[in-house]
């Protein structure tokens, strides 16, 4: 079963408007983290925002905010005041297991969604 | 600045040759490194996870004899694509997990990727 689902292959938005990129996830682990990354045409993965499963408030980072609805298992990314430079591929990702790792033990790989190509029009 | 580097950024090789890609963590020790593969306009697919000093754990369907991973030190992991063929052409991205100075928890950082083209 798909653990992370992004149902929008492509999205278009007018410059200066807000856009929401959808992401739903599936896990039975009570402790998990949700990430959003931006991948421009250069290929680098740029970390945007993180939401922990126990976080009470929705995460925000500048123009990025995460609409976390735990009961619905959704973690949509909202980009406000879109800019031309926001045009890129966006990935939602999940890591199961706690973020803070005791004793330096590493576990919990990142699983990525299919991605959404965002195009910002002038 | 970048905390994970990859070399080379781009490589073109003939079919049948082997290609080595290096991934280095800069200014932090990476307890775990991950190698991903990405085809154009598709998602990142995890190939393998490696912890320093131990054998890599490969994902289902990934040939370990084809994609050799060596995590010899806490700052260096290498992926060798042996006897590369055109279907191996892809974008390979490494990721390193570790603690930056002053941080109390591990974070995961991505390298800039290596574009492999096999003729």
């Amino acid at each position: 079963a798909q653990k992370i689902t992004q149902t929008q292959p492509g999205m278009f938005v007018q410059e200066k408007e807000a856009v929401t990129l959808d992401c739903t996830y599936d896990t039975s682990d009570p402790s998990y983290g949700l990430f959003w990354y931006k991948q421009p045409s250069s290929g680098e993965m740029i970390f945007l925002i993180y939401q922990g499963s126990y976080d009470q408030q929705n995460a925000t980072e500048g123009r990025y905010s995460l609409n976390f609805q735990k009961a619905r298992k959704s973690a949509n990314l909202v980009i406000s005041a879109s800019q031309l430079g926001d045009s890129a591929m966006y990935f939602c990702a999940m890591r199961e297991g706690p973020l803070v790792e005791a004793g330096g033990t590493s576990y919990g790989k990142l699983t990525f969604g299919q991605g959404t190509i965002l195009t910002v029009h002038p | 600045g970048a905390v994970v580097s990859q070399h080379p950024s781009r490589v073109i090789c003939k079919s049948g040759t082997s290609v080595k890609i290096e991934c280095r963590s800069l200014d932090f020790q990476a307890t775990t490194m991950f190698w991903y593969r990405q085809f154009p306009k598709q998602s990142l697919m995890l190939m393998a996870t490696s912890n320093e000093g131990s054998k890599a754990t490969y994902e289902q369907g990934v040939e370990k004899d084809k994609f050799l991973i060596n995590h010899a030190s806490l700052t260096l992991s290498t992926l060798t694509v042996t006897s590369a063929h055109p279907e191996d052409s892809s974008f390979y991205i490494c990721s390193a997990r570790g603690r930056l100075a002053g941080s109390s928890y591990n974070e995961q950082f991505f390298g800039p990727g290596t574009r492999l083209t096999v003729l």
Side-chain angles (χ1 to χ4, degrees):
Chain A
Q2 192 74 24
K3 290 207 167 197
I4 291 279
T5 304
Q6 293 179 254
T7 57
Q8 306 156 316
M11 287 287 285
F12 296 88
V13 66
Q14 205 73 25
E15 195 179 7
K16 298 180 185 176
E17 292 187 350
V19 63
T20 298
L21 305 184
D22 295 343
C23 174
T24 58
Y25 60 92
D26 183 28
T27 180
S28 56
D29 196 321
S31 184
Y32 53 89
L34 297 159
F35 302 76
W36 275 94
Y37 289 88
K38 172 184 177 182
Q39 187 181 41
S41 55
S42 60
E44 61 181 315
M45 294 291 285
I46 301 169
F47 166 73
L48 296 178
I49 197 166
Y50 166 79
Q51 180 85 44
S53 58
Y54 293 119
D55 293 344
Q56 295 295 313
Q57 305 219 333
N58 286 345
T60 60
E61 288 286 349
R63 293 186 299 111
Y64 304 109
S65 61
L66 202 151
N67 184 359
F68 182 45
Q69 299 196 28
K70 198 169 182 177
R72 293 185 180 183
K73 291 190 176 178
S74 75
N76 299 339
L77 176 71
V78 180
I79 304 175
S80 61
S82 297
Q83 302 172 356
L84 295 178
D86 293 336
S87 294
M89 192 146 185
Y90 288 79
F91 290 100
C92 180
M94 177 175 66
R95 196 179 86 171
E96 293 163 293
L99 179 61
V100 178
E101 298 156 351
T105 302
S106 292
Y107 53 90
K109 59 192 179 186
L110 276 178
T111 303
F112 287 86
Q114 304 92 321
T116 297
I117 299 175
L118 176 66
T119 304
V120 181
H121 287 305
Chain B
V3 294
V4 177
S5 69
Q6 266 184 258
H7 179 79
S9 58
R10 188 179 294 266
V11 58
I12 301 172
C13 68
K14 291 183 180 179
S15 185
T17 60
S18 293
V19 176
K20 181 186 281 189
I21 302 170
E22 289 188 351
C23 176
R24 292 182 185 273
S25 60
L26 310 173
D27 300 325
F28 75 99
Q29 295 182 328
T31 50
T32 306
M33 284 191 173
F34 306 88
W35 286 95
Y36 293 86
R37 181 176 183 177
Q38 184 183 29
F39 292 109
K41 292 191 174 16
Q42 292 189 26
S43 186
L44 279 70
M45 300 303 297
L46 181 65
M47 299 174 67
T49 303
S50 73
N51 291 304
E52 185 264 340
S54 60
K55 288 186 180 180
T57 302
Y58 289 81
E59 294 298 300
Q60 194 171 10
V62 178
E63 300 175 59
K64 58 183 179 182
D65 294 330
K66 172 79 174 174
F67 299 100
L68 300 178
I69 291 171
N70 187 325
H71 191 165
S73 77
L74 284 171
T75 59
L76 173 65
S77 175
T78 59
L79 167 67
T80 302
V81 183
T82 61
S83 187
H85 290 288
E87 58 265 29
D88 298 324
S89 298
S90 189
F91 192 56
Y92 292 88
I93 305 174
C94 77
S95 180
R97 181 182 293 160
R99 294 184 192 183
L100 294 180
S103 176
S104 58
Y105 56 87
N106 288 322
E107 296 178 72
Q108 188 163 342
F109 303 94
F110 285 85
T114 296
R115 197 164 299 281
L116 170 64
T117 304
V118 185
L119 302 175

